Structure formats: structure tokens, C-alpha cells
Amino acid sequence: HGALNNSLQGSCASPQWSTEMEPDALAVHMQKAGYRTMYAGKYLNNYGLSGSLGLKYVPPGWSEWCGLQGNSRYYNYTLSVNGREERHGCNASDYLTDVLAERAVAFVQRTSSPLFLWIGTPAAHASFTPAPPFVDTARGELAPRTPNWNVVGNRGHHQTVRELSPMSANEAKESDEIYRRRLGTLRSVDRLVESVFSALDATGRADATYFFYTSDHGFHLGQNGMAYDKRQLFET
């Protein structure tokens, strides 16, 4: 596919990617098979940014398009709605996961033909911002204390991990706070899934629909002394 990383130079939302790879993407084949398709949410890190084809560009294969400009955000973001720029602010009604839920449910309700719906929520990506009702979802919870939590110096690990220092008390506290906030963001995802399922069920289509759940790669929260993130050269 020619993609090397999540920069434009690495072919993330680059014009070359758009012209050479996207015409053979899954949505194109689903549309050809007779499905009405919709994408809603975070797409590629550089979608709609300078150097890409811009927000007017709608990738092929999507009957309806609601793509986020750039990387994951919860508030103060811009969407491309079928190629039209739509800006959102910092009100509770702008919370992106909830906006995506509303758009997805509306798509289900107005679509009588077979449908293919792909939703990319910002959760549980940084900045780990829960919606107002879920700010205190995990009050008092701690990140899982796995057997390798804050354990460093394992001779079987590669040098980058082997030479890490243990987390300080403040770093462990921050790691636990991120864990709680991530759980809070996922409550909105739970609500989104429930609303989409309910919309399908209300029209008698839930039992004839496949649901696929995917996620980013593993996130560490104190394992081997790594306070938080997902970009280290070690599987959590």
C-alpha cells in the first residue's frame, strides 16, 4: 500500500495515497455490491490538512461522509460533511463521540437498503476527555497492577526498555488519572454502540447485521515502568 508512517511524506492522506490506493478500498467494493455506505469520525491523521486534498475531498466508496479533519479531538474540531466544512466548538453538544452517534443513527433510520457503516471515535485517544456525564466514571480506580507494573531492569528485554527507571509517585499518579479518563471516554462509545444497535433493532435489522469492533494497538499504563503511551518498542 506504500504507507510508511502517519505523516504526509509517509503517505498518510497524501495525494498519492488518495489517487493510487483509495480507489481499491473496502468501501468501494461494498458500494459496488449494493450497500449504502457511511463513514463517520477520525479518518487519517492528515486528512483535510495542508498538503492533502483538503476537506472537499471525499474518498471513493462513501455514499455519505462525515470525516474529521486531522487527528483525534473531542471538542473544537472541523468535519468534512460530504465535502462541506462544518466547524464545532466546545459546548457539550459538540462532544465528537456524541455527534458521531447522532449522525450514525440518522443514517440507519433513513437507509432502507443494505448498509455499511464505519465509525471512528476519538476515544480513548489523547487528550482523554470524557463527556460531562462521565467525568467521574472511574473515580478512585487505579490502572491495573499487572505483574510487570513498574518493574524495570528485566535482562530479557531490549536495551530501550531494560534501562528505564521506575515511575516516580507523581508519574504513577498521572498514569492512574489517564486510565480513569480513558474509561470515561469509553462510556460515550458504549452509548454510541447502544444507540446504533437500537436503531437497527427498531427496524428489524439487528439480527441480520454484523458488528465488528477494532481498536488501536496496546496501551501501556505503568508496565515495565512506562507510564503511558503506545509507541514504545515493546508489547504491553
Side-chain angles (χ1 to χ4, degrees), residues 40-91:
K42 190 305 184 60
Y43 186 53
L44 298 174
N45 283 22
N46 287 288
Y47 172 74
L49 299 180
S50 176
S52 71
L53 295 183
L55 289 172
K56 292 183 179 180
Y57 170 69
V58 175
W62 299 109
S63 309
E64 300 191 31
W65 175 257
C66 184
L68 175 68
Q69 181 184 43
N71 205 349
S72 297
R73 302 176 71 92
Y74 297 85
Y75 296 104
N76 298 310
Y77 56 86
T78 300
L79 297 172
S80 168
V81 180
N82 299 321
R84 176 179 57 82
E85 183 177 313
E86 180 181 288
R87 297 188 179 187
H88 288 258
C90 56
N91 296 318

Side-chain angles (χ1 to χ4, degrees), residues 18-173:
S18 301
T19 56
E20 295 182 6
M21 301 307 302
E22 285 182 322
D24 195 34
L26 176 60
V28 174
H29 297 284
M30 296 298 289
Q31 198 174 62
K32 288 179 179 178
Y35 287 80
R36 184 163 181 81
T37 62
M38 180 184 186
Y39 189 90
K42 190 305 184 60
Y43 186 53
L44 298 174
N45 283 22
N46 287 288
Y47 172 74
L49 299 180
S50 176
S52 71
L53 295 183
L55 289 172
K56 292 183 179 180
Y57 170 69
V58 175
W62 299 109
S63 309
E64 300 191 31
W65 175 257
C66 184
L68 175 68
Q69 181 184 43
N71 205 349
S72 297
R73 302 176 71 92
Y74 297 85
Y75 296 104
N76 298 310
Y77 56 86
T78 300
L79 297 172
S80 168
V81 180
N82 299 321
R84 176 179 57 82
E85 183 177 313
E86 180 181 288
R87 297 188 179 187
H88 288 258
C90 56
N91 296 318
S93 60
D94 292 310
Y95 190 74
L96 180 55
T97 304
D98 293 344
V99 170
L100 299 179
E102 294 168 3
R103 305 293 170 90
V105 167
F107 172 73
V108 170
Q109 292 173 337
R110 64 174 172 265
T111 303
S112 57
S113 61
L115 59 85
F116 174 65
L117 171 62
W118 190 325
I119 308 171
T121 71
H125 198 283
S127 57
F128 322 114
T129 306
F134 305 129
V135 169
D136 293 326
T137 286
R139 180 183 292 274
E141 293 291 325
L142 302 178
R145 272 25 180 188
T146 57
N148 62 349
W149 186 85
N150 213 20
V151 174
V152 301
N154 188 319
R155 293 176 62 84
H157 293 166
H158 61 73
Q159 184 177 7
T160 304
V161 174
R162 190 172 65 243
E163 295 184 352
L164 287 172
S165 300
M167 291 186 296
S168 67
N170 284 338
E171 288 171 332
K173 182 178 180 180

Side-chain angles (χ1 to χ4, degrees), residues 192-219:
L192 178 155
V193 172
E194 180 184 23
S195 65
V196 171
F197 181 89
S198 296
L200 287 163
D201 195 42
T203 56
R205 290 179 286 173
D207 289 341
T209 301
Y210 288 96
F211 291 80
F212 296 89
Y213 299 91
T214 67
S215 72
D216 209 334
H217 49 291
F219 200 89

